[in-house]
Amino acid sequence: MYTFSNRLKIGSIILMAIGLLGIGIGFVAVPSTAAEAKAMVAAHDDGHGESHADDASHGATADHSASEGHGASHDEHLLHQLQNRPWAALYVAAFFFFMISLGVLAFYGIQRAAQAGWSPLLFRVMEGITAYLVPGGIIVFAILLLSTLHMNHLFTWMDADVVAEDELLQNKAGYLNTTFFLIRAAVFLGGWILYREISRKLSIAQDKSDDDSNFKKNFRWSVGFLVFYLVSESIMSWDWIMSVDPHWFSTLFGWYIFASMIVSGVTVIAMVTIYLKTKGYLPDVNDSHIHDLAKFMFGFSIFWTYLWFAQFMLIWYANIPEEVTYFVTRIEDYNLPFFGMVVMNFVFPLLLLMNSDYKRVNWFVIMAGIVILAGHYLDVFNMIMPATVGDQWYIGLPEIGAVLFFAGAFMFWVFRALTHAPLQPTRNPFIEESRHFHY
């Protein structure tokens, strides 16, 4: 039985405490008036900030023949961007760590439905990681709920004044309305968590059973879950991510989010497995298991790159204004994180994990995993920040604090969940095949 070490527990709590402090400072520091917002931007005296200061003061220095209302509207927009920043930083980190857990659940369901013979030794690791679905899902839902209550301006379509002046949003109101939005979120979260809890109970019950009935039930539940997941994950990506840019859409977006969450999930499975094995808790896991996990990390990174390129290049080449604006904004205002994310999510995995021998070297897999996770955090950052914060972004206390808080919470919940059952299943029909998995 795995024991949650005091060192890891204290480290997780310290991360959460430091992160909470950074988040709190971020919320306290936001301006409350348009004048404060303009002064804050003007005081941000690096090169990036000076250009913002010029933009922010445009309304005050423009020729008075221009509409004064336009200047006031610009100032109000700037205020909303700065007020959004701690909320957006919180949402990016909350969704990212929830996305990891959901990606692991999808990978776990695929292994169950495929009746894979290599992976049963890793099932308890996957079940431990998916335990974060409950607290992570509750936090994400709380942020969405607070958005519908107008505690922030993350989703512009939730603002009745904006919708009243936007014919396109009026036409989408049958789908993009707060009541239906929250109902969908609750149904999706409920379905994902329900499958996780049922599958976990059946998995543990199988170890105590004298037949394979629980294994067969788990198979049927996993098949049903995957059907539900494929539909719900796509709609979730439209609701929680794509709707922050309500004028823009991509028919590839559901697959794009799926690729990001699955590669992040498999990466965390590999990292947790390596950690537990080095501590002596997974004696039957061998280099071939790590090699296979690294192959999935490599393969899904290539899959993510294919989807990113297909979405980006087709929209860029077609050059339709309402579509290409999405990428123009990111290239102009988020040049470093936008292209840096592509390097981290494609070039690094390609170079680090292409060699078959490297996939069996633990520290190499861990190094590649850290780069992949950082890259996919930036991917979520690039999807949320431009629509909510605009060009008023930078990596500061709110962003770092949010990542530290959710990293600590994720580690605490996952490693705590791993203590609740033996780490190696004993009665899975394929457990011997998994133990003798070598190539």
Side-chain angles (χ1 to χ4, degrees):
M1 183 78 74
Y2 168 70
T3 302
F4 192 5
S5 69
N6 287 331
R7 181 180 297 179
L8 190 57
K9 188 183 300 183
I10 293 171
S12 301
I13 293 173
I14 290 174
L15 281 178
M16 285 190 284
I18 296 174
L20 199 59
L21 179 62
I23 294 170
I25 293 174
F27 276 101
V28 170
V30 297
S32 56
T33 66
E36 289 181 12
K38 291 169 65 177
M40 182 179 293
V41 173
H44 188 47
D45 58 1
D46 59 33
H48 182 65
E50 285 172 2
S51 64
H52 295 336
D54 292 340
D55 292 341
S57 62
H58 173 74
T61 60
D63 190 277
H64 284 286
S65 61
S67 170
E68 293 183 6
H70 175 73
S73 175
H74 179 275
D75 295 344
E76 190 72 15
H77 180 62
L78 176 66
L79 174 63
H80 287 171
Q81 287 181 328
L82 294 178
Q83 289 177 335
N84 269 342
R85 186 176 162 227
W87 281 103
L90 187 70
Y91 185 49
V92 168
F95 180 81
F96 173 69
F97 284 96
F98 172 80
M99 176 184 84
I100 292 173
S101 189
L102 184 57
V104 172
L105 187 69
F107 188 74
Y108 174 78
I110 292 169
Q111 300 302 307
R112 286 280 186 185
Q115 298 190 1
W118 72 276
S119 56
L121 278 174
L122 307 176
F123 280 175
R124 293 292 157 75
V125 174
M126 299 183 204
E127 291 164 9
I129 297 171
T130 56
Y132 182 75
L133 275 176
V134 176
I138 290 172
I139 292 172
V140 170
F141 186 83
I143 295 173
L144 298 177
L145 177 61
L146 292 173
S147 298
T148 65
L149 297 176
H150 308 296
M151 298 295 291
N152 55 61
H153 303 276
L154 296 179
F155 300 87
T156 57
W157 59 265
M158 294 182 182
D159 189 330
D161 293 334
V162 173
V163 175
E165 299 178 359
D166 194 318
E167 185 176 353
L168 184 61
L169 293 184
Q170 292 169 19
N171 292 333
K172 295 183 178 183
Y175 181 82
L176 287 181
N177 63 80
T178 55
T179 302
F180 194 22
F181 176 80
L182 290 178
I183 290 174
R184 291 194 300 272
V187 170
F188 298 157
L189 286 169
W192 299 331
I193 292 171
L194 178 66
Y195 166 71
R196 189 270 166 189
E197 296 301 319
I198 291 175
S199 184
R200 166 74 164 178
K201 288 180 180 178
L202 290 172
S203 177
I204 295 175
Q206 178 62 32
D207 281 358
K208 304 173 183 178
S209 176
D210 56 2
D211 59 29
D212 295 336
S213 59
N214 291 300
F215 175 82
K216 293 176 182 178
K217 290 178 183 176
N218 217 333
F219 165 77
R220 290 192 290 269
W221 274 99
S222 298
V223 172
F225 160 74
L226 289 175
V227 175
F228 174 77
Y229 170 82
L230 287 172
V231 176
S232 58
E233 182 275 333
S234 290
I235 300 174
M236 176 275 289
S237 70
W238 308 337
D239 288 358
W240 300 1
I241 304 293
M242 196 163 65
S243 76
V244 297
D245 284 285
H247 285 191
W248 180 83
F249 66 90
S250 167
T251 54
L252 275 178
F253 202 74
W255 285 107
Y256 181 75
I257 298 297
F258 165 77
S260 190
M261 71 169 57
I262 202 80
V263 70
S264 300
V266 172
T267 297
V268 172
I269 294 172
M271 296 173 76
V272 173
T273 299
I274 290 171
Y275 171 80
L276 293 173
K277 182 170 174 57
T278 59
K279 297 297 182 181
Y281 289 107
L282 293 172
D284 292 331
V285 171
N286 56 56
D287 289 345
S288 294
H289 294 100
I290 304 302
H291 184 272
D292 264 25
L293 288 170
K295 283 196 296 187
F296 279 112
M297 291 165 60
F298 176 80
F300 282 121
S301 292
I302 302 301
F303 179 56
W304 175 90
T305 306
Y306 159 72
L307 293 172
W308 178 87
F309 183 78
Q311 181 175 262
F312 170 75
M313 184 52 64
L314 288 175
I315 291 176
W316 187 260
Y317 185 75
N319 202 25
I320 300 173
E322 58 266 29
E323 293 183 359
V324 77
T325 301
Y326 180 88
F327 288 107
V328 170
T329 301
R330 283 152 179 79
I331 291 172
E332 290 183 351
D333 297 332
Y334 291 75
N335 191 272
L336 181 60
F338 182 74
F339 289 108
M341 168 265 296
V342 177
V343 173
M344 297 170 75
N345 292 340
F346 171 58
V347 178
F348 271 85
L350 183 71
L351 297 177
L352 295 181
L353 297 176
M354 179 178 287
N355 188 297
S356 184
D357 293 336
Y358 291 165
K359 297 185 182 75
R360 296 174 180 267
V361 180
N362 288 349
W363 70 267
F364 219 84
V365 175
I366 292 291
M367 181 174 64
I370 292 172
V371 174
I372 289 171
L373 290 178
H376 284 281
Y377 167 81
L378 281 181
D379 190 17
V380 179
F381 185 91
N382 288 330
M383 287 187 279
I384 297 296
M385 286 292 183
T388 57
V389 178
D391 58 2
Q392 304 300 324
W393 73 275
Y394 57 95
I395 304 295
L397 281 178
E399 292 78 14
I400 296 172
V403 170
L404 292 178
F405 174 79
F406 285 105
F410 184 86
M411 290 169 54
F412 184 89
W413 204 270
V414 168
F415 285 100
R416 176 176 169 272
L418 290 171
T419 66
H420 293 166
L423 286 185
Q424 295 196 172
T426 56
R427 277 282 296 118
N428 186 292
F430 296 101
I431 194 64
E432 288 305 316
E433 181 179 344
S434 186
R435 282 198 180 102
H436 296 93
F437 179 65
H438 292 280
Y439 63 92

